[in-house]
Amino acid sequence: MLVFEDEDGREVLRAPLAEWLPEAHAVGILELKPMKCLDRTGLTDLAAALGIPVEESRSPLDGAPRQPAAASDRAPARVLHGDLPRWHSWIRGLGVFGWFIALVVAFAADVDWCLPVAAAALFSVPAADLVVRAGAWRRRRRDSRKFAEETLYTSVPMAGPESTPRFRRTASVRVLPRDVVITDTVGRERWIGRDGASGVARTVRLMSPGAREPLGVEFRDGRGEVRALLPWRDWFAGPQGQAAWQALVSALEVPAVDGGMRRPGRPNVDPEPWWTGHPLAADARMMSPLPAKEARSETSWHRTVIGGNELLLIPLLSMLLLTGLLSDSAPARLAGLLSALTIVSEWVPAAMKSLISRFHYDRADGNV
């Protein structure tokens, strides 16, 4: 956590470093010293440009300000990134709560019109998800347009059973005038600057100790820290891969050197990936084609955003009113119809995504 204080020591701004560290998902911030983590974010350069001294706290920082502000002062601002809009959480919470209250009233007071109210409240849960997912799809379509002065590089993997359409279509390196945008196999982006000490200043092609064959490519910043790791086999070992590598080096306009890669000594175990023991081993894994099951898990809306239990819980709750489709009562039939729509809204998108993954997107066909 980076805390900005005024002259009196009162907090005015909090910036969680994990929100600013491009490779936070690949390198646990607990493995980095606070100042090194601060350097990687570029906030050290920002503080120096503003003339603000930076100190490292010796004690853990809790949720409350270290020095309470006066009653007239505002609470310190927080620089946070929200993956979901706030209204989404409110609608989901009110939907489940409204379903429960309306259902209790319907059965306790025998009020038929409360049944469709309960079903409509529960339908708002998957409906809110669909609205957010539709907005995210539109943003992806908009953001997928080519940036001005952008140079795009996609993977050129070696032909083999590991190659999948998802990896070839999603993984990429985009070189912009001031940034390098690295996208992994599940579409997660990492923006690294090209200027300053925290920007990409050198590429290192890691070579195997014996055969001197390329293993991977490191992107290093001005301080010599590794910021990204691309497996050579999955990015430059295919047809025209060498040309793609030379073009990437030319676009980055930074020195490119060859370096050695030492493997941990474990001779009595099965062969492990060459990146075992590398600080960015997790990064290399995500910059490679993933097994179909793991790729579905990493891109699943319910498992990674909402929670896998919703896929069972919401349809199960909807089934309480689904029998209303067979009733002679108009409110009960309406409640049954809304319950059916709720089940369809939960299961159909998940089923379609799974089928597309199994039969196309994550099918290991080896075609390049």
Side-chain angles (χ1 to χ4, degrees):
M1 179 76 71
L2 180 65
V3 178
F4 291 84
E5 299 178 347
D6 60 15
E7 295 179 353
D8 298 325
R10 287 194 295 263
E11 295 183 10
V12 295
L13 180 66
R14 285 190 171 198
L17 292 182
E19 300 283 351
W20 290 74
L21 186 64
E23 62 271 30
H25 65 277
V27 180
I29 58 174
L30 296 179
E31 300 175 5
L32 297 174
K33 294 182 179 180
M35 292 305 297
K36 182 175 288 188
C37 183
L38 195 64
D39 290 341
R40 286 173 175 248
T41 62
L43 292 173
T44 301
D45 298 335
L46 174 63
L50 296 176
I52 302 175
V54 179
E55 299 178 359
E56 184 176 342
S57 175
R58 297 182 179 274
S59 59
L61 184 65
D62 55 17
R66 289 195 295 268
Q67 180 175 340
S72 59
D73 293 339
R74 295 181 179 179
R78 296 176 62 87
V79 184
L80 295 173
H81 170 71
D83 292 329
L84 295 172
R86 185 170 299 178
W87 63 262
H88 177 264
S89 300
W90 278 100
I91 288 180
R92 287 170 53 83
L94 291 174
V96 175
F97 181 74
W99 168 85
F100 176 76
I101 296 299
L103 201 62
V104 169
V105 173
F107 287 108
D110 195 20
V111 181
D112 290 346
W113 60 265
C114 283
L115 293 177
V117 171
L122 195 61
F123 175 69
S124 66
V125 175
D129 292 347
L130 292 176
V131 171
V132 171
R133 297 174 74 173
W137 180 79
R138 287 196 299 268
R139 286 193 297 273
R140 284 197 300 269
R141 292 290 299 272
R142 179 195 61 200
D143 296 341
S144 64
R145 298 172 184 173
K146 192 175 182 64
F147 285 89
E149 301 182 28
E150 172 190 273
T151 305
L152 175 65
Y153 297 91
T154 57
S155 60
V156 186
M158 178 183 295
E162 299 85 3
S163 179
T164 63
R166 179 189 297 276
F167 178 71
R168 297 194 301 273
R169 293 176 54 182
T170 308
S172 66
V173 176
R174 284 180 288 168
V175 181
L176 305 178
R178 301 193 62 178
D179 298 281
V180 178
V181 185
I182 300 174
T183 306
D184 64 17
T185 187
V186 296
R188 188 164 43 197
E189 290 185 351
R190 182 187 321 165
W191 290 62
I192 305 176
R194 299 181 61 186
D195 302 323
S198 60
V200 177
R202 182 176 55 165
T203 60
V204 179
R205 186 170 60 171
L206 301 177
M207 311 296 290
S208 60
R212 300 297 295 173
E213 295 179 352
L215 296 175
V217 176
E218 293 179 340
F219 289 72
R220 293 180 176 266
D221 60 19
R223 298 181 176 90
E225 298 289 338
V226 183
R227 306 302 302 275
L229 180 61
L230 306 182
W232 184 272
R233 173 187 174 90
D234 300 314
W235 281 84
F236 306 106
Q240 306 300 320
Q242 188 64 32
W245 163 244
Q246 295 296 336
L248 177 59
V249 171
S250 299
L252 290 172
E253 298 179 344
V254 297
V257 299
D258 290 347
M261 174 66 188
R262 293 184 177 181
R263 294 288 308 278
R266 301 181 62 185
N268 297 324
V269 298
D270 293 335
E272 296 180 324
W274 63 265
W275 57 73
T276 301
H278 193 281
L280 287 185
D283 192 25
R285 183 70 189 90
M286 295 306 299
M287 300 305 295
S288 307
L290 294 177
K293 184 176 181 180
E294 185 177 352
R296 287 194 295 272
S297 177
E298 290 287 341
T299 57
S300 170
W301 170 265
H302 291 91
R303 293 182 184 178
T304 60
V305 180
I306 299 301
N309 293 332
E310 179 183 310
L311 203 55
L312 282 178
L313 181 61
I314 297 299
L316 184 63
L317 297 179
S318 298
M319 288 180 183
L320 295 176
L321 300 177
L322 187 62
T323 55
L325 290 172
L326 305 177
S327 174
D328 294 333
S329 170
R333 287 200 301 271
L334 180 58
L337 178 61
L338 290 172
S339 297
L341 289 176
T342 301
I343 296 174
V344 169
S345 299
E346 286 285 357
W347 282 352
V348 169
M352 291 181 59
K353 187 175 182 65
S354 179
L355 290 175
I356 293 174
S357 169
R358 291 175 183 274
F359 293 102
H360 172 63
Y361 220 38
D362 296 303
R363 180 170 57 90
D365 56 4
N367 294 328
V368 177

